Amino acid sequence: MFTVIAERINMTRKRIKKEVWGRNAEFIAGEATRQAEAGATHIDINAGGDPAKEVDDMEWITRVVADAVELPLVFDSSNPEALESGLKLCNRPGTIINSITGEKDRIETILPLVSEYNTGVVCLTMDDTGMPADCDGRMRVTRDLTGALEERGIGLDRAYFDHLVRPASTNPGQARCVLDAIAATRREFPESHICLGLSNISFGLPQRNNLNRAFLAMLVAAGADGAIVDPCEKGLINTLLSSRAALGLDDYCMEYIRAQRAGRL
Amino acid sequence: MFTVIAERINMTRKRIKKEVWGRNAEFIAGEATRQAEAGATHIDINAGGDPAKEVDDMEWITRVVADAVELPLVFDSSNPEALESGLKLCNRPGTIINSITGEKDRIETILPLVSEYNTGVVCLTMDDTGMPADCDGRMRVTRDLTGALEERGIGLDRAYFDHLVRPASTNPGQARCVLDAIAATRREFPESHICLGLSNISFGLPQRNNLNRAFLAMLVAAGADGAIVDPCEKGLINTLLSSRAALGLDDYCMEYIRAQRAGRL
């Protein structure tokens, strides 16, 4: 089972902000449905259009999306009030909070919600000193974060580590240390989940989809069992199914073959 | 620099056998040219249609292909006489013999040609006991092969190790140990080349191209610097360029950007 967190309903995107503020439920429900049909296992909701309206917007989007699809939601905010406003309305099995970092105040304000609502949590491997430049730095933050989770009795099977890739165009070689950190996390904390916000790899390059697909295959091989993506992006779910089939993670390639027969490749 | 050995001119394929035996130079030259234009760095020639005709066919194909393209050739046979008939006609810088294995008689009959003609050599990691089931077995054969090369004064920068992947459909998990063997070979013998006959991964599955692309991205991430492929296969060279760009192996993604501007993605 691979976790596909669908990222399109994000108010930092102009079109989404416009339609949420216009209270266009049909449009937002359509975004949720299309992502679910494309292969999402979770729908991410980011209501960060305007801090003053975030709680209201989170509630409205949550109602619309929960009505449109049966998938668990991912509440995406650094504001505990906004997170809780969503969680109170919809807390299906598999719900995830996105995100904490190794930063002390984020841990202290957000982990209580993870405990209270018994959710999963995306853990970004950066901390008060910033984003580590190498694999060792990412693993240091990973260990700090696992410590913080264990201290509060939150099992590592509820953690989704995201090792934060920088754009290949401006940070050549960063992808390598992300892959190394994924492999190291898989070895050291085998029960944890490992996901990655994929599309940053291709920022600033033409036909970004090509790099997203290639890097997704590499992530799966390195040991990631999740990704934060636009599942409607051409070929992305194809790459995911193909990668799992190639690696023997899809028993006798049946998931791949079923998708092919259904015309979904 | 990634070695793309183009595999289409292979007489175990019906169409190629027919056209070679019909001495259709235009067709064979076209196959060579199309593969070169698609991104091949080497053209493989396999004249194994009929053992009794292999030397004649190898000579004819070599003349046709050498006339059509300026790339180095890869002579693909287990018959030393056939290999030498090609090498005598065309031995450009970068020429490769395909292949030896850890089998004693192949080493003894073929390595003298590698020495005499100063070529590269594809080294398949199987031996007299067969094809190893795991990564350790592949590494044992790799060490036997590096020993045999060093004994004859052949530098490891002339070796192209192929760790032989089995079909994912019937051998789930084999891909994992091939990736592990590639990474181990890259660490232990950093000066060697590592390539792989790609398409076996997808044997028996529909829309094979999907698996080939996903697995190619994984190979590049694991440390392979070559592959034996059909470069005309849709999206394959795109995946290669995208993988190298993502990993920072393509300085500032300039090769990727040039290919995009030229409409080659």
Side-chain angles (χ1 to χ4, degrees):
Chain A
M1 165 76 181
F2 195 93
T3 301
V4 178
I5 301 177
E7 70 188 5
R8 291 178 61 87
I9 301 177
N10 185 323
M11 287 185 73
T12 65
R13 295 176 60 208
K14 261 191 206 164
R15 178 71 195 271
I16 299 293
K17 184 155 70 177
K18 176 173 170 279
E19 303 299 349
V20 171
W21 283 351
R23 293 299 188 247
N24 185 345
E26 191 183 339
F27 181 87
I28 298 299
E31 286 281 27
T33 307
R34 273 190 294 279
Q35 294 185 103
E37 286 170 354
T41 63
H42 292 69
I43 307 288
D44 189 274
I45 300 176
N46 181 319
D50 175 349
K53 301 180 183 173
E54 188 177 2
V55 169
D56 271 359
D57 289 340
M58 183 66 96
E59 286 180 351
W60 182 81
I61 302 174
T62 300
R63 284 198 178 93
V64 171
V65 173
D67 197 42
V69 299
E70 293 182 357
L71 298 177
L73 307 184
V74 175
F75 295 105
D76 184 355
S77 176
S78 55
N79 173 356
E81 207 194 334
L83 291 169
E84 192 158 20
S85 70
L87 286 163
K88 279 183 176 165
L89 292 170
C90 183
N91 187 15
R92 295 172 177 160
T95 296
I96 299 171
I97 288 176
N98 184 7
S99 58
I100 61 167
T101 64
E103 293 162 292
K104 288 225 159 42
D105 63 335
R106 270 187 68 173
I107 291 180
E108 280 161 20
T109 55
I110 292 178
L111 277 193
L113 291 173
V114 175
S115 294
E116 185 179 346
Y117 290 90
N118 195 29
T119 67
V121 59
V122 174
C123 305
L124 308 178
T125 54
M126 56 180 286
D127 64 11
D128 295 290
T129 65
M131 196 167 140
D134 59 8
C135 175
D136 287 349
R138 284 172 168 81
M139 291 311 295
R140 180 182 47 72
V141 182
T142 301
R143 288 178 204 113
D144 289 348
L145 282 160
T146 58
L149 293 169
E150 282 165 353
E151 223 170 72
R152 287 158 181 84
I154 300 168
L156 291 188
D157 58 339
R158 286 160 63 190
Y160 294 77
F161 289 103
D162 179 342
H163 286 301
L164 293 167
V165 69
R166 287 195 170 107
S169 54
T170 49
N171 297 266
Q174 272 278 316
R176 176 81 271 158
C177 77
V178 169
L179 295 175
D180 291 345
I182 289 172
T185 305
R186 179 55 66 224
R187 276 194 303 275
E188 194 168 331
F189 304 107
E191 70 277 41
S192 73
H193 298 286
I194 303 168
C195 66
L196 192 89
L198 181 67
S199 66
N200 213 31
I201 186 74
S202 61
F203 182 80
L205 288 170
Q207 293 177 231
R208 295 180 60 175
N209 180 242
N210 297 325
L211 274 93
N212 296 349
R213 289 182 71 172
F215 197 50
L216 178 58
M218 298 176 195
L219 294 179
V220 178
D225 64 346
I228 304 173
V229 298
D230 175 357
C232 302
E233 198 178 294
K234 187 164 181 286
L236 210 65
I237 298 296
N238 178 323
T239 295
L240 176 61
L241 293 171
S242 303
S243 298
R244 289 174 52 80
L247 289 167
L249 300 172
D250 167 9
D251 278 347
Y252 293 96
C253 305
M254 285 313 298
E255 203 186 346
Y256 176 84
I257 290 169
R258 267 197 304 272
Q260 195 270 335
R261 288 186 181 152
R264 291 180 53 229
L265 292 185
Chain B
M1 164 78 181
F2 195 94
T3 301
V4 178
I5 300 177
E7 70 189 6
R8 290 178 61 88
I9 302 177
N10 184 325
M11 286 185 72
T12 65
R13 295 176 60 207
K14 261 192 207 164
R15 179 70 195 271
I16 299 293
K17 183 155 72 177
K18 174 174 172 278
E19 302 299 349
V20 170
W21 284 351
R23 293 298 188 250
N24 184 346
E26 192 183 339
F27 181 86
I28 298 299
E31 286 281 27
T33 307
R34 274 189 295 278
Q35 293 184 103
E37 286 169 356
T41 63
H42 292 69
I43 307 289
D44 189 276
I45 300 176
N46 180 320
D50 175 348
K53 300 180 184 170
E54 188 175 2
V55 169
D56 271 0
D57 288 341
M58 183 66 97
E59 286 180 351
W60 182 80
I61 302 173
T62 300
R63 283 200 179 91
V64 171
V65 173
D67 198 43
V69 300
E70 291 181 359
L71 298 176
L73 306 185
V74 175
F75 295 105
D76 183 356
S77 175
S78 55
N79 174 356
E81 208 194 333
L83 291 170
E84 191 159 20
S85 70
L87 286 163
K88 280 183 176 166
L89 291 171
C90 184
N91 188 15
R92 294 171 179 162
T95 296
I96 298 171
I97 289 175
N98 182 9
S99 57
I100 61 166
T101 64
E103 294 163 292
K104 288 224 160 44
D105 62 335
R106 286 228 352 216
I107 291 179
E108 281 162 19
T109 57
I110 292 176
L111 278 194
L113 291 174
V114 175
S115 294
E116 186 180 344
Y117 290 89
N118 196 29
T119 67
V121 59
V122 174
C123 305
L124 308 177
T125 55
M126 55 179 288
D127 63 11
D128 296 291
T129 66
M131 198 167 138
D134 60 10
C135 175
D136 287 349
R138 283 173 169 80
M139 291 311 293
R140 179 182 47 73
V141 182
T142 301
R143 288 178 204 114
D144 290 348
L145 282 161
T146 57
L149 293 169
E150 283 165 352
E151 223 170 71
R152 289 160 180 82
I154 300 168
L156 291 188
D157 58 339
R158 287 161 63 191
Y160 294 77
F161 290 102
D162 179 343
H163 286 301
L164 294 166
V165 71
R166 288 196 170 106
S169 53
T170 50
N171 296 267
Q174 272 278 315
R176 176 81 270 157
C177 78
V178 169
L179 295 174
D180 291 345
I182 289 172
T185 305
R186 180 54 67 224
R187 277 195 301 275
E188 195 169 329
F189 304 107
E191 71 277 41
S192 74
H193 299 285
I194 304 170
C195 67
L196 192 88
L198 181 68
S199 66
N200 213 32
I201 186 75
S202 59
F203 183 80
L205 289 170
Q207 293 178 234
R208 297 180 58 176
N209 180 240
N210 297 324
L211 274 93
N212 296 349
R213 290 182 69 173
F215 198 51
L216 179 58
M218 297 177 195
L219 294 178
V220 178
D225 65 347
I228 304 174
V229 299
D230 175 358
C232 301
E233 197 177 293
K234 188 165 180 287
L236 211 65
I237 298 297
N238 177 322
T239 296
L240 176 61
L241 294 171
S242 302
S243 298
R244 289 173 53 78
L247 289 167
L249 299 173
D250 167 9
D251 278 348
Y252 292 95
C253 305
M254 284 314 296
E255 203 186 347
Y256 176 84
I257 290 168
R258 267 197 305 271
Q260 196 269 335
R261 287 185 183 155
R264 291 179 54 228
L265 294 185

